[in-house]
Amino acid sequence: MPPADDTSAAGGDGDDLDAPEIAIEDPGSAAAVDDPVRPPRGTGRRLHGAIAHKLGVAIVSGHYAPGDRLPGEVAYSGELDVSRGAYREAVQVLTAKGLVESRTKAGTRVLPRNRWNLLDPEVLAWAFTGDPDIGFIRGLFELRAIVEPAAAALAAERRDRADLKILKDALAAMTRHSLATEAGRTADRDFHSGILAATKNDALIVLSSSIGAAVNWTTVFKQRARALPRNPIPDHRRVYEAIAAGDAAAASMAMRVLVELALEDISRMAGEG
């Protein structure tokens, strides 16, 4: 699911092409949450991408509810001193992700949640910028519990030497860096994506970016208040060993346990366990 940040706005002003870049705060930071609408200043990301980020966070966090109308491009661009073209491009990003719909005279309105592309990696990032609903997190884990054990079983049957090297290298990097670091979390994403790639099933491989994003953001979420409640790397090692041994049943079971334990960690943090 490729990101839509580079979507061009049809009929745009043209002046936004040279607009200064502005920075995006780290998800979960006070600056990112306190003002869900105003784009941050500085350098880093293209202007329309920053506007899309801020509006996306505001929508997913509930600042704008389904049916609400977003600010008009004239008012919004004037208030923030950004081009109307940049605002229109940002709205196109949100439209492509199913968050909003624009109609002549009716303006741009937030669509019902069931229209949102919740598996888009950027939408997942927006959801975890604030405090995501535990029901939403549980839904992600239910999806993973359906997809990943079956994928691990297929990977055990179809993996080749190159697939095993990717998984082994990712596991080694996770062990070396720990999941408390960005390098470790990147390796974690590579591990889960590597399993999907090893299935040789294109329909499953398409889910790699979404599954990887879900893995990453739930791990980040678990570490916001304190260190990880336990070390999940041994769970990953058991999955790898079963896949390397070509044992589909064991790979499926090991992955199911990995996902269930990760959900238990989240539930304890939320006071459910």
Side-chain angles (χ1 to χ4, degrees):
M1 298 182 185
D5 280 14
D6 58 356
T7 304
S8 299
D13 301 51
D15 58 345
D16 57 301
L17 296 178
D18 297 321
E21 295 184 342
I22 56 182
I24 295 295
E25 300 95 336
D26 289 337
S29 69
V33 177
D34 288 347
D35 186 351
V37 179
R38 179 175 292 276
R41 300 291 179 177
T43 61
R45 202 172 175 182
R46 281 193 57 163
L47 186 58
H48 80 270
I51 297 170
H53 174 92
K54 281 299 182 182
L55 288 173
V57 170
I59 292 169
V60 175
S61 68
H63 182 83
Y64 293 118
D68 285 353
R69 187 165 65 182
L70 296 186
E73 68 180 53
V74 174
Y76 192 93
S77 59
E79 177 187 352
L80 301 177
D81 193 24
V82 299
S83 72
R84 292 169 62 183
Y87 178 82
R88 284 198 294 270
E89 286 191 45
V91 169
Q92 286 193 344
V93 171
L94 300 179
T95 299
K97 298 178 188 300
L99 271 64
V100 302
E101 180 179 60
S102 296
R103 291 186 178 181
T104 305
K105 296 184 179 181
T108 300
R109 293 189 180 276
V110 178
L111 289 173
R113 191 180 181 90
N114 60 13
R115 298 277 299 276
W116 299 357
N117 185 359
L118 289 172
L119 292 183
D120 183 286
E122 279 194 298
V123 176
L124 285 172
W126 297 340
F128 280 90
T129 295
D131 290 322
D133 180 76
I134 188 63
F136 171 69
I137 295 176
R138 186 174 294 280
L140 289 178
F141 276 100
E142 288 177 352
L143 172 68
R144 289 183 59 193
I146 292 169
V147 172
E148 291 196 274
L154 287 177
E157 296 172 347
R158 301 174 180 178
R159 86 289 183 276
D160 55 30
R161 292 177 63 184
D163 295 320
L164 290 178
K165 184 178 187 308
I166 289 172
L167 296 179
K168 185 176 182 179
D169 288 349
L171 186 58
M174 290 167 61
T175 303
R176 180 167 61 254
H177 298 292
S178 89
L179 296 182
T181 68
E182 180 57 36
R185 292 191 294 272
T186 296
D188 192 12
R189 292 196 298 271
D190 290 343
F191 183 86
H192 289 269
S193 296
I195 290 174
L196 292 175
T199 68
K200 315 302 183 188
N201 181 311
D202 289 342
L204 283 172
I205 293 171
V206 167
L207 294 175
S208 293
S209 61
S210 299
I211 294 294
V215 168
N216 178 72
W217 288 112
T218 50
T219 301
V220 170
F221 178 73
K222 283 191 289 186
Q223 296 179 91
R224 280 188 183 173
R226 58 177 184 262
L228 286 172
R230 61 182 185 82
N231 180 12
I233 293 177
D235 303 330
H236 290 73
R237 185 173 293 110
R238 282 187 282 273
V239 173
Y240 167 75
E241 290 171 350
I243 291 175
D247 190 333
S252 177
M253 179 58 68
M255 180 59 81
R256 184 171 299 281
V257 170
L258 185 157
V259 174
E260 289 175 351
L261 289 175
L263 176 57
E264 286 179 10
D265 291 340
I266 290 280
S267 297
R268 280 197 293 271
M269 288 184 60
E272 292 188 344

